[in-house]
Amino acid sequence: MQFHEESSIGDRIARLRLRRKLTQEGLAERAGLSIDIVRKLEQGVRETARLTTLNALASALDVEPSLLVGQPTNFEVRDEGDRPSVLALRQAVSPVSDLLGEESDTEEPPTIAALQAALRSTEVIRREGRMGEIGSLLPQLIHDARAATRTYGSAEAAAAQSVLAEAYQVAATTLTALGKEDAAFTALERAREAAAKGDDPHLATVGVSSLAWVLTKQGRLADAERIATATAERIEPNFRSAPVELALWGVLLLRAATAAVRQGKRDTVRELLNLTSAAAAGMGTDRLDYATPFGPTNVGVAKVNFLVEMEECAEALRAARAVPDLASLPPTWRARFHVDRALAYAGLNKDDGALQALLTAERTAPEWMRYHSTSRRLVADLRGRERRRSSAVTELADRLNLDG
């Protein structure tokens, strides 16, 4: 089911409601909302809605929340400026109301349970790399969590701060993936402040992991390695540590190794990989904490990535065949693994293998592929070095909006 990109939230709600033969009153009752909210949205009096409201309406209409906000094409890679969804993320991270000392919304914020449910509802689209939907849904969640931190008492305010910290971290990684590192750093600073006031002790570690990734993407490799290593040393688990603590420690070590391999520090990479392999083996299974996987599979995938970075392409392909349970990883992680396989094939001048791996990556996470710079460069290289362009390479390049 698709709607025209320019239709409003209210238009979409009205069309879906009519298809299900519901009155406005019936939809409001089924969603547990006031009739006034439904009317104002459908009449265009309100052009946006809280994620908690969208979740309730989507559940009542039996659709995903993202369908109500549309499928925006606001994250085209070739775009030179900030399209609406990127702008909305910037505004959510750095609202003008802060500078003016204003409270931007006097409406009662959602409950803590509703905020936490709203954050969880974004996890699927985050794992699948559906960036346009993240950009549409996340700003309102940040806005609502901020309002909750100002409104509620100490215990509930701390819980709201934890939601806010994680939402800022998601905003930071999203903005970085879109090349907006300046806004990402602001989001990470906000995340750190919120985590310090929150009730989840693990969010500070998750924030450092995100920062290390942002620094690596920026080319600040020594800084990324240093902050990840120092934090890992500080939180090093023992035999009494909970599995989540072991997983977060392992993720930090993988962040450090990623920065180290790009500095050509092969011995450091092998040492860190040995540590993470031992930790993953001790866990025995793959985990997904704070939307980040860790376990035997992710360590195996990381090893392939490091071997590709070290230009040990034949060894990378052998390691790829030994990865234990690829299906346990989120789609974006699996897609990145297939891109690494493609790079290894290309490094061995096996272009057909590279193309097939890229097509597998595209099937796994199509939107992620459209903005992933390494994938785009590799497709351009494959197209450029073919004597006779195959239709498959050309069609893939067209789908990625590559010029030439």
Side-chain angles (χ1 to χ4, degrees):
M1 183 185 301
Q2 294 183 341
F3 295 123
H4 193 280
E5 288 178 8
E6 294 180 359
S7 62
S8 67
I9 290 176
D11 291 336
R12 295 184 182 95
I13 292 170
R15 292 174 196 173
L16 287 166
R17 175 177 62 77
L18 292 172
R19 287 177 188 177
R20 282 151 181 76
K21 299 180 180 179
L22 289 170
T23 63
Q24 290 182 335
E25 292 81 359
L27 175 58
E29 182 178 356
R30 183 180 289 190
L33 300 171
S34 72
I35 180 63
D36 189 53
I37 289 176
V38 175
R39 283 176 179 158
K40 285 182 177 179
L41 284 169
E42 291 196 4
Q43 292 169 2
V45 176
R46 292 183 58 165
E47 296 182 359
T48 61
R50 286 178 166 153
L51 186 50
T52 50
T53 300
L54 291 175
N55 284 337
L57 288 168
S59 177
L61 293 166
D62 194 26
V63 296
E64 291 187 4
S66 56
L67 186 61
L68 300 185
V69 297
Q71 306 288 335
T73 55
N74 297 329
F75 289 137
E76 289 293 331
V77 179
R78 293 183 296 175
D79 189 38
E80 297 297 329
D82 282 359
R83 298 288 292 275
S85 290
V86 175
L87 182 60
L89 278 175
R90 284 187 180 276
Q91 291 171 331
V93 169
S94 303
V96 173
S97 59
D98 281 3
L99 298 176
L100 299 176
E102 298 173 347
E103 289 193 14
S104 56
D105 192 353
T106 58
E107 188 178 351
E108 186 74 14
T111 65
I112 298 302
L115 284 174
Q116 292 168 338
L119 180 62
R120 287 193 300 272
S121 75
T122 68
E123 290 181 1
V124 172
I125 60 175
R126 288 156 57 190
R127 290 195 298 266
E128 295 181 356
R130 288 147 58 184
M131 305 301 293
E133 295 173 39
I134 296 172
S136 295
L137 297 173
L138 196 60
Q140 188 64 49
L141 177 58
I142 291 173
H143 175 85
D144 288 345
R146 280 169 53 91
T149 64
R150 296 190 298 264
T151 303
Y152 294 133
S154 57
E156 288 184 317
Q161 292 283 3
S162 291
V163 172
L164 183 59
E166 195 166 351
Y168 278 141
Q169 289 166 4
V170 177
T173 54
T174 302
L175 287 162
T176 300
L178 300 166
K180 310 296 181 183
E181 288 91 350
D182 58 333
F185 271 102
T186 301
L188 284 173
E189 289 172 357
R190 298 289 180 105
R192 182 177 180 180
E193 293 170 2
K197 299 173 184 175
D199 61 357
D200 185 343
H202 299 311
L203 284 175
T205 301
V206 177
V208 171
S209 177
S210 298
L211 176 57
W213 184 76
V214 171
L215 291 169
T216 299
K217 293 285 286 185
Q218 253 199 335
R220 295 173 58 181
L221 302 176
D223 288 340
E225 181 188 356
R226 180 173 155 218
I227 191 170
T229 302
T231 305
E233 289 174 351
R234 181 174 55 80
I235 68 163
E236 185 172 358
N238 55 44
F239 66 91
R240 292 187 300 271
S241 298
V244 63
E245 294 170 346
L246 187 61
L248 293 177
W249 178 73
V251 169
L252 279 173
L253 294 181
L254 289 179
R255 297 286 194 222
T258 299
V261 74
R262 296 184 185 184
Q263 297 174 81
K265 300 168 69 171
R266 296 189 175 208
D267 290 342
T268 300
V269 172
R270 292 190 177 94
E271 179 183 348
L272 291 169
L273 194 55
N274 286 338
L275 287 171
T276 55
S277 296
M283 290 171 54
T285 187
D286 295 289
R287 292 180 57 89
L288 187 68
D289 297 295
Y290 301 94
T292 302
F294 184 77
T297 304
N298 197 35
V299 171
V301 166
K303 181 179 180 180
V304 173
N305 176 257
F306 300 153
L307 288 167
V308 169
E309 292 276 1
M310 293 186 288
E311 298 183 349
E312 297 180 16
C313 296
E315 181 62 26
L317 291 175
R318 283 192 290 272
R321 289 191 285 272
V323 172
D325 183 19
L326 198 62
S328 68
L329 295 181
T332 48
W333 263 262
R334 299 201 306 269
R336 176 67 228 210
F337 168 75
H338 292 305
V339 171
D340 282 333
R341 289 177 52 241
L343 289 167
Y345 277 119
L348 297 171
N349 294 315
K350 297 181 178 180
D351 289 4
D352 287 344
L355 174 60
Q356 292 308 311
L358 284 168
L359 291 173
T360 302
E362 185 192 30
R363 288 193 297 271
T364 304
E367 186 172 348
W368 176 88
M369 278 282 285
R370 287 198 291 274
Y371 71 83
H372 187 245
S373 57
T374 300
S375 302
R376 294 169 62 81
R377 286 196 300 270
L378 181 54
V379 172
D381 288 345
L382 290 176
R383 184 182 60 183
R385 69 196 203 186
E386 280 192 327
R387 289 190 178 89
R388 290 186 308 168
R389 293 184 179 181
S390 73
S391 59
V393 172
T394 301
E395 289 168 4
L396 177 57
D398 289 344
R399 289 194 296 273
L400 298 183
N401 293 321
L402 293 175
D403 295 323

